[in-house]
Amino acid sequence: MASNKKYWKSVEELKDSSVVETLSKNEFVENIPTDDFLGDKETLEASSTSRRDFLKYVGFTTAAASLAACEGPVVKSIPYVVKPNDIIAGVADWYATSMADGYDFANILVKTREGRPIQIMPNKEANGTTSARVQASVLSLYDEKLRLKEPTKSGEVISWAEADKEIGQKLNSLKEASKQVVLLTGTMASPSTDKIISEFLTAYPNAKHVVYDAVSESAAADAFEKMYGRRALPNYKLQNAETIVSFGADFLGDFHGGFEKAYIDGRKPETGKMSYHIQVESNMSLSGANADKRLVAKPSDVVFSLLNLYKELTGNAVSSNTTAIDSDIKKIAKILRKSGSKGVVMTGINDVNAQLISLAINQYLNSEILDANNSLNIRKGSFEDVETLVSDMKSGNVGGLLAVNVDPAYTLPNADEFTEALSKVDLKVSLSVENNSTTDAMEYALPAPHFLESWGDTQFSEENFGLMQPTIQPLFDTRQVQDTLLKWSGRSTTYYNFLKAFWSENVLGGASWNKALHNGYFSKAVDTATNSSFVSEVSISEVASNLRKNTKASEMELNLYTKTGLGDGKQANNPWLQEFPDPITRASWDNYLTMSIADARELGFSNPVKDNGAINGDYAKVSVNGKEVIVPVMIQPGQAKGSVGLSLGFGKTFGLKDEMKVGVNAYPLYKGGNNIQYNVSIEKVSGTHKFACTQVQKTIAGRHDILKVTSLKDYKNVDPKDHHHGWNKPAYVSYDHKEVEANTIDLWDEHNREVGHHFNLSIDLTSCTGCGACVVACHAENNVPVVGKNEVRVGRDMHWLRIDRYYSSEVETREEAKELGLSRGATYEALETEAENPEVTFQPMMCQHCNHAPCETVCPVAATSHGRQGQNQMAYNRCVGTRYCANNCPYRVRRFNWFNYANNNEFDFNMNNEYGKMVLNPDVVVRSRGVMEKCSMCIQMTQATILKAKKEGRKVNVDEFETACSSACTTGAMVFGDVNNKEDKVAALAEDKRAYNVLDYLQTKPNVIYQVKVRNTNEA
């Protein structure tokens, strides 16, 4: 049944802010400063002007943009003298490979043009998925600022031969002296590399391998090892789940690498079944935002509620505390008991006891969802081993340290101790892709290639292997770590030959190497009988007692987490990720202390919105375990009272461009690798922080029929078009004093759209998790410029695709409140109460490519027009920048190009240096200033598909058309295709009972179709 929910985006809206209301009506929050160019306004108005002078004043943008367009730079190109056989100019090549950087792991496809990787997409044949970080990693390949370019010793360039000779001699002398050498790496998830490391340890018996992950999941690996005898992480087959209960595990974010595809595969309303997802957490996370039921609790109460669930389910009287959500926990126990083996419990608490309790609950349920057979081989680091390493270094017991692609000098909580202890180590070598704080502190810095320049293999899970192949010749004088270790171990073979031989002997089992390399992956069955059996008995009563003892409940508690964009901070110098708006807060270029509305009021913090759309914040001093940081505060709906959240991965400075040195380093607060810290002190300090936040910019909130949401029960039982109770009612308007369906009234003449192709994009709001991979994919494919923090702050971001995040509250609309006699204050007080735990809905929003487009009607120079294939097209060299089209667009999706972003030192990102430009897509023009930009529905991709089919003498295949966003979408929420081809998926989706158009009462007739969001609110 339809619901009268109020949808809102920011806390300021709850105050009925006149500033926010004004901003919602303004497409551009800042006017062009004509006075600066033309002189005093009053003088001009008082003067007698000619027509030319009048146009000079009124049409400044027209003149400026026209001049800019006429005087574009001439770029000369030099053709190949001898063309490589495997490169055809203008035709893309695709390579299947894998990404494994220690934090992000993915099976991917890489698009190259003329030998340059320019785009990353998921390898869907391998069930590959990509996040915003994986999508953006192609730009990190071209980071000339941060990447190591040649071997150095104490800052001086040396040859590889000299480095090998000197380091080899020192390794041998340390072996003779029986002085410990430590090989410190991140998780590589590479079976061939594991073999090479074992050979290195055999060659140097005094050597030891320590695995270190900056963001630790050590407790989960420890618990799994205790239960199953193997150091790994549990896998989860969420596609088969009936009930999913998560205690602080953001499994749609970074928990165990993310499970968004499996999760959405189990939530298809058209099947009549959806998993029921309950999230217990203190920070608002992606998983919490997508949950059917979200319970808000302080971090300590999340721990105690996990214990209470075990107690309620099993009847075992384990040690715990009562919490405010215990009544809900009893209901959850009942639901899980009913689901039985189709239920699963997971926890993101980085405490081995909490992880053991979670595993024990799943054992009690006999859960088929927790997959112990196909366990995960990612993030296997041991925080305890790293702490021991630092202690041994301080004691002088470590003679040599070989650090491989890790940065403990930045990420360790006791980074200062680590750096000081290095002075007691004789041999200090960094083998790294980037020049980071740790590399700078070492004697030898040996450059390693980017994963897109490398050979390698991966085994992300027991069943799934991947191959890594170079997609470009090395840009710098680099050498793979594996080749280096082989050489130091006395082996003369190359890593490529070693890799091929290893796979032939241990992986392929007679299968073709070339086929596996072409596909990028290989699957192999595992011994389920061996892998799934418990190997040890754990005393749960003892575990529960230890967990309760470790949980130091306090007045204020801190939850450390990773943001969807920056993760652990490895790609902090990547402008695409820095400018990527966080899915929850919509803030970019920053981290911040998330705080509840109640705590903010009590402590005196606020986030005022300025009249140009910018948001400010107060600073807080956060003190815990003797460490303190000063960080801005962001008031976050859904944050548990008595808790604050702070993301890791920011505050990195060494080697970064000045523009990227943003945020605060939270790693010093990350004591013991625990994401929960107790006894936190918060103190307001002076100063005002300027956020770059898009949550109140370009909003269409407050209008009708933006979002449509229904329950699974209503989806199955209620007619969607029912005039009174339907959950997908058509829009009605008043015509001739009668209420009629809006689609019967039209201002435009219809055109025949049945000839040729007609493109539609379907977006399923049920399947969209808000991850943002599509946003970065659009950036890469369409050469969208990065504008920087100051420009984003005043609403000038250039994203062609945004993901609107709406909070919703079950309270009366203003009109209903007025009828009921409720004051405005009472209405907003109710809203604020709801804001303690609001429902969240994500909606990707791009140019809707309206068949009856308001923008086309008002363009004075016909720069924007409608194509026969349904795309709203832009002729950039015709656009004179009047911005009428943006003012007439009800969806607020057009972007005005205020500046030349390429070759401009004011925007020192990737478009003004020779390496960064290598990522640009040659099929898409780099726009100059003074023109409107927007989503083109990837017209270059659709035309390339048509031309390919024409060249091959065939029709376009079913579902062959793609856009960047639909290709990148892991969950399949975005489906693109030709509605004139009735076999294309999108044709059926356009006619589906869930299909609707945003603001359909305006009758713009968009070619972007949304599917009504369905929530499973049945709790059974």
Side-chain angles (χ1 to χ4, degrees):
M1 191 165 66
S3 168
N4 289 323
K5 290 186 178 180
K6 176 177 172 62
Y7 290 95
W8 46 284
K9 282 189 172 184
S10 72
V11 174
E12 280 295 303
E13 289 179 65
L14 302 185
K15 301 176 182 176
D16 195 22
S17 170
S18 58
V19 173
V20 175
E21 194 165 332
T22 302
L23 288 170
S24 69
K25 297 173 183 176
N26 293 337
E27 175 68 24
F28 299 100
V29 295
E30 289 195 350
N31 295 320
I32 291 179
T34 51
D35 291 352
D36 293 347
F37 294 91
L38 305 175
D40 182 71
K41 178 181 177 183
E42 293 181 4
T43 304
L44 280 168
E45 288 179 339
S47 67
S48 175
T49 59
S50 66
R51 179 174 179 271
R52 180 176 180 180
D53 291 331
F54 174 77
L55 288 175
K56 180 183 175 185
Y57 175 54
V58 177
F60 158 70
T61 32
T62 302
S66 298
L67 286 171
C70 293
E71 298 177 1
V74 175
V75 179
K76 296 181 180 180
S77 300
I78 301 173
Y80 289 113
V81 178
V82 179
K83 187 182 78 65
N85 291 328
D86 55 350
I87 291 179
I88 301 174
V91 177
D93 290 314
W94 288 86
Y95 294 87
T97 186
S98 300
M99 174 185 179
D101 71 353
Y103 189 69
D104 289 304
F105 304 87
N107 295 113
I108 57 175
L109 299 176
V110 181
K111 179 183 180 181
T112 67
R113 285 295 302 269
E114 287 73 61
R116 301 174 292 110
I118 64 170
Q119 179 92 61
I120 286 176
M121 286 295 168
N123 186 350
K124 294 183 179 179
E125 287 186 12
N127 284 320
T129 62
T130 58
S131 63
R133 293 189 300 272
V134 175
Q135 288 284 335
S137 62
V138 66
L139 183 56
S140 295
L141 167 68
Y142 303 113
D143 190 345
E144 92 293 348
K145 173 73 173 175
L146 197 58
R147 287 196 57 185
L148 285 175
K149 299 178 179 63
E150 53 199 350
T152 61
K153 176 187 178 182
S154 301
E156 299 296 325
V157 177
I158 61 171
S159 68
W160 278 104
E162 290 172 321
D164 290 335
K165 181 181 178 181
E166 292 180 16
I167 294 170
Q169 289 173 349
K170 290 183 179 181
L171 283 171
N172 287 324
S173 63
L174 288 170
K175 181 170 70 172
E176 291 169 6
S178 297
K179 197 78 180 287
Q180 188 183 79
V181 173
V182 174
L183 178 66
L184 180 65
T185 75
T187 300
M188 293 181 166
S190 168
S192 66
T193 305
D194 289 344
K195 175 68 172 171
I196 289 171
I197 289 173
S198 69
E199 290 189 6
F200 177 78
L201 299 181
T202 301
Y204 297 96
N206 59 318
K208 176 184 177 184
H209 183 208
V210 175
V211 181
Y212 166 56
D213 297 327
V215 178
S216 176
E217 295 204 36
S218 179
D222 290 343
F224 193 86
E225 189 171 19
K226 285 189 176 185
M227 285 286 196
Y228 297 100
R230 309 188 317 278
R231 187 164 188 81
L233 296 177
N235 207 341
Y236 297 95
K237 296 186 284 190
L238 299 183
Q239 67 272 24
N240 301 329
E242 284 184 7
T243 304
I244 303 167
V245 183
S246 168
F247 290 85
D250 186 13
F251 59 86
L252 297 181
D254 290 339
F255 174 75
H256 292 11
F259 297 92
E260 59 275 17
K261 186 178 187 301
Y263 174 77
I264 292 302
D265 284 348
R267 294 176 64 82
K268 301 294 185 184
E270 56 270 19
T271 66
K273 294 181 180 179
M274 293 176 68
S275 61
Y276 182 54
H277 171 199
I278 305 164
Q279 187 82 9
V280 185
E281 63 182 10
S282 54
N283 288 3
M284 175 71 82
S285 68
L286 267 182
S287 300
N290 284 277
D292 296 307
K293 186 178 184 65
R294 181 174 182 268
L295 300 175
V296 184
K298 288 174 64 173
S300 57
D301 282 347
V302 173
V303 176
F304 294 135
S305 62
L306 175 65
L307 283 168
N308 293 341
L309 177 62
Y310 175 83
K311 185 162 57 174
E312 189 68 31
L313 263 176
T314 64
N316 295 339
V318 295
S319 175
S320 183
N321 284 13
T322 58
T323 74
I325 60 171
D326 282 349
S327 59
D328 291 297
I329 293 298
K330 289 181 179 180
K331 293 177 185 176
I332 292 171
K334 184 178 178 182
I335 295 167
L336 278 172
R337 201 174 284 114
K338 183 178 179 181
S339 297
S341 62
K342 296 296 184 183
V344 68
V345 173
M346 55 184 81
T347 180
I349 302 164
N350 198 30
D351 182 298
V352 66
N353 300 298
Q355 295 293 336
L356 285 168
I357 292 289
S358 178
L359 291 175
I361 291 174
N362 288 306
Q363 183 191 20
Y364 175 82
L365 293 171
N366 196 25
S367 176
E368 299 172 5
I369 310 306
L370 187 146
D371 189 355
N373 299 314
N374 191 27
S375 55
L376 300 174
N377 296 317
I378 64 174
R379 302 185 189 169
K380 295 167 71 172
S382 170
F383 206 87
E384 186 178 343
D385 286 353
V386 177
E387 289 182 322
T388 302
L389 168 62
V390 176
S391 178
D392 288 346
M393 287 169 60
K394 288 170 67 177
S395 303
N397 295 330
V398 177
L401 179 65
L402 312 176
V404 179
N405 282 325
V406 291
D407 190 11
Y410 159 65
T411 58
L412 274 178
N414 55 340
D416 292 342
E417 290 182 31
F418 171 84
T419 307
E420 290 172 10
L422 275 175
S423 61
K424 298 183 179 181
V425 178
D426 298 326
L427 175 62
K428 301 182 283 289
V429 182
S430 175
L431 302 96
S432 178
V433 175
E434 65 177 32
N435 187 17
N436 53 40
S437 300
T438 301
T439 301
D440 185 58
M442 298 293 200
E443 182 181 7
Y444 293 93
L446 307 183
H450 190 269
F451 75 89
L452 291 174
E453 302 168 311
S454 303
W455 288 103
D457 64 347
T458 57
Q459 189 182 7
F460 300 151
S461 67
E462 288 294 298
E463 293 179 354
N464 300 309
F465 293 79
L467 276 170
M468 186 184 294
Q469 62 176 315
T471 59
I472 187 174
Q473 288 289 329
L475 296 175
F476 307 112
D477 185 13
T478 58
R479 187 173 73 186
Q480 288 200 226
V481 171
Q482 293 89 342
D483 278 315
T484 298
L485 292 177
L486 283 167
K487 195 172 191 65
W488 293 351
S489 301
R491 295 287 299 272
S492 58
T493 186
T494 64
Y495 176 49
Y496 172 76
N497 291 332
F498 182 96
L499 174 67
K500 191 173 180 180
F502 178 87
W503 267 58
S504 297
E505 295 169 14
N506 301 284
V507 180
L508 292 173
S512 168
W513 160 263
N514 287 338
K515 183 178 180 181
L517 185 62
H518 172 271
N519 294 341
Y521 71 97
F522 184 79
S523 297
K524 191 174 180 180
V526 298
D527 185 350
T528 57
T530 303
N531 280 11
S532 63
S533 59
F534 278 78
V535 298
S536 64
E537 289 295 328
V538 177
S539 171
I540 296 299
S541 59
E542 184 180 338
V543 166
S545 177
N546 290 335
L547 181 56
R548 184 173 182 272
K549 196 182 301 179
N550 293 343
T551 307
K552 313 287 187 184
S554 57
E555 186 176 345
M556 185 63 73
E557 299 167 2
L558 170 67
N559 198 334
L560 295 160
Y561 67 99
T562 53
K563 289 179 72 169
T564 306
L566 223 54
D568 66 347
K570 272 190 173 67
Q571 296 190 67
N573 206 42
N574 191 314
W576 288 352
L577 293 177
Q578 289 283 9
E579 191 145 301
F580 171 73
D582 181 73
I584 302 296
T585 64
R586 308 299 299 139
S588 60
W589 294 98
D590 253 321
N591 64 340
Y592 31 75
L593 198 69
T594 57
M595 186 178 290
S596 70
I597 295 174
D599 285 332
R601 185 188 297 112
E602 186 177 319
L603 297 172
F605 292 99
S606 63
N607 287 134
V609 178
K610 312 306 290 181
D611 57 6
N612 64 354
I615 293 179
N616 291 345
D618 302 313
Y619 283 104
K621 182 165 73 173
V622 182
S623 305
V624 58
N625 300 319
K627 300 286 183 71
E628 61 182 41
V629 297
I630 294 177
V631 62
V633 170
M634 177 76 76
I635 301 172
Q636 176 60 54
Q639 181 78 32
K641 190 177 186 306
S643 75
V644 288
L646 181 59
S647 63
L648 301 163
F650 285 81
K652 196 172 183 178
T653 57
F654 186 88
L656 269 62
K657 291 183 178 181
D658 290 340
E659 294 83 355
M660 310 295 176
K661 297 176 183 178
V662 295
V664 174
N665 185 6
Y667 279 112
L669 309 182
Y670 195 42
K671 184 179 180 182
N674 293 323
N675 53 344
I676 298 174
Q677 300 291 332
Y678 303 105
N679 296 308
V680 179
S681 171
I682 307 290
E683 178 187 345
K684 185 177 180 181
V685 295
S686 61
T688 299
H689 185 79
K690 297 180 177 180
F691 285 111
C693 188
T694 63
Q695 67 182 6
V696 294
Q697 298 167 358
K698 306 179 184 69
T699 180
I700 58 175
R703 305 190 73 164
H704 299 291
D705 295 327
I706 300 170
L707 293 173
K708 292 188 178 182
V709 183
T710 190
S711 68
L712 181 61
K713 182 179 179 181
D714 285 347
Y715 171 78
K716 292 194 289 187
N717 300 319
V718 176
D719 178 3
K721 306 298 183 184
D722 184 289
H723 185 68
H724 297 288
H725 306 290
W727 45 266
N728 193 12
K729 294 183 295 184
Y732 289 88
V733 295
S734 178
Y735 179 73
D736 197 19
H737 306 290
K738 297 177 183 177
E739 195 176 50
V740 297
E741 287 192 23
N743 58 17
T744 62
I745 310 299
D746 215 327
L747 295 175
W748 286 267
D749 294 329
E750 287 292 345
H751 298 281
N752 183 0
R753 305 190 189 101
E754 296 176 0
V755 178
H757 304 291
H758 191 85
F759 299 120
N760 272 197
L761 175 65
S762 173
I763 302 175
D764 189 346
L765 299 181
T766 306
S767 298
C768 178
T769 64
C771 73
C774 55
V775 175
V776 181
C778 176
H779 242 299
E781 173 66 26
N782 295 293
N783 300 335
V784 176
V786 173
V787 300
K789 182 175 181 178
N790 291 334
E791 295 299 300
V792 174
R793 177 171 164 78
V794 295
R796 293 178 177 174
D797 66 286
M798 296 299 295
H799 291 109
W800 285 10
L801 163 61
R802 70 177 190 262
I803 299 183
D804 288 336
R805 181 267 298 122
Y806 292 97
Y807 300 122
S808 59
S809 306
E810 285 281 11
V811 297
E812 296 81 2
T813 61
R814 290 187 187 183
E815 293 78 10
E816 290 171 331
K818 191 173 182 180
E819 288 177 9
L820 293 170
L822 295 176
S823 68
R824 180 172 289 188
T827 303
Y828 280 91
E829 186 177 346
L831 275 172
E832 196 163 302
T833 302
E834 290 278 338
E836 293 176 5
N837 188 18
E839 278 188 359
V840 182
T841 307
F842 298 104
Q843 184 179 56
M845 180 59 62
M846 69 292 286
C847 173
Q848 302 290 287
H849 296 271
C850 306
N851 289 310
H852 294 167
C855 56
E856 296 167 13
T857 309
V858 296
C859 182
V861 292
T864 183
S865 59
H866 211 66
R868 287 295 300 270
Q869 296 173 345
Q871 291 147 315
N872 177 260
Q873 300 171 346
M874 281 294 305
Y876 293 121
N877 62 342
R878 289 187 65 88
C879 179
V880 293
T882 62
R883 304 186 296 174
Y884 296 162
C885 56
N887 288 327
N888 216 39
C889 173
Y891 304 99
R892 308 190 74 176
V893 289
R894 289 176 166 259
R895 304 288 176 265
F896 183 63
N897 204 320
W898 291 86
F899 300 99
N900 284 325
Y901 299 108
N903 302 313
N904 188 334
N905 290 334
E906 292 296 319
F907 304 95
D908 185 18
F909 302 111
N910 68 296
M911 285 189 177
N912 68 344
N913 69 80
E914 294 305 314
Y915 282 102
K917 287 177 182 177
M918 291 175 74
V919 84
L920 296 178
N921 184 357
D923 291 334
V924 181
V925 67
V926 175
R927 283 74 58 187
S928 187
R929 71 181 174 93
V931 300
M932 297 302 303
E933 294 188 24
K934 65 166 195 68
C935 162
S936 67
M937 211 174 258
C938 289
I939 190 170
Q940 70 280 0
M941 294 179 69
T942 57
Q943 294 309 299
T945 301
I946 293 169
L947 291 173
K948 181 183 177 184
K950 183 178 180 180
K951 181 182 177 183
E952 295 174 0
R954 60 173 175 83
K955 291 183 178 180
V956 177
N957 295 327
V958 173
D959 294 325
E960 187 176 358
F961 287 113
E962 287 277 12
T963 58
C965 57
S966 66
S967 298
C969 184
T970 292
T971 63
M974 291 181 168
V975 177
F976 180 78
D978 178 8
V979 289
N980 285 346
N981 181 350
K982 298 307 176 185
E983 294 182 24
D984 266 18
K985 290 179 184 175
V986 77
L989 290 169
E991 302 298 326
D992 189 83
K993 65 180 182 178
R994 285 201 289 142
Y996 78 99
N997 295 125
V998 174
L999 308 182
D1000 60 345
Y1001 58 88
L1002 296 178
Q1003 279 305 290
T1004 55
K1005 296 195 175 177
N1007 283 313
V1008 178
I1009 305 148
Y1010 292 86
Q1011 307 292 325
V1012 172
K1013 184 176 180 68
V1014 180
R1015 294 185 187 274
N1016 184 4
T1017 57
N1018 301 328
E1019 298 194 13

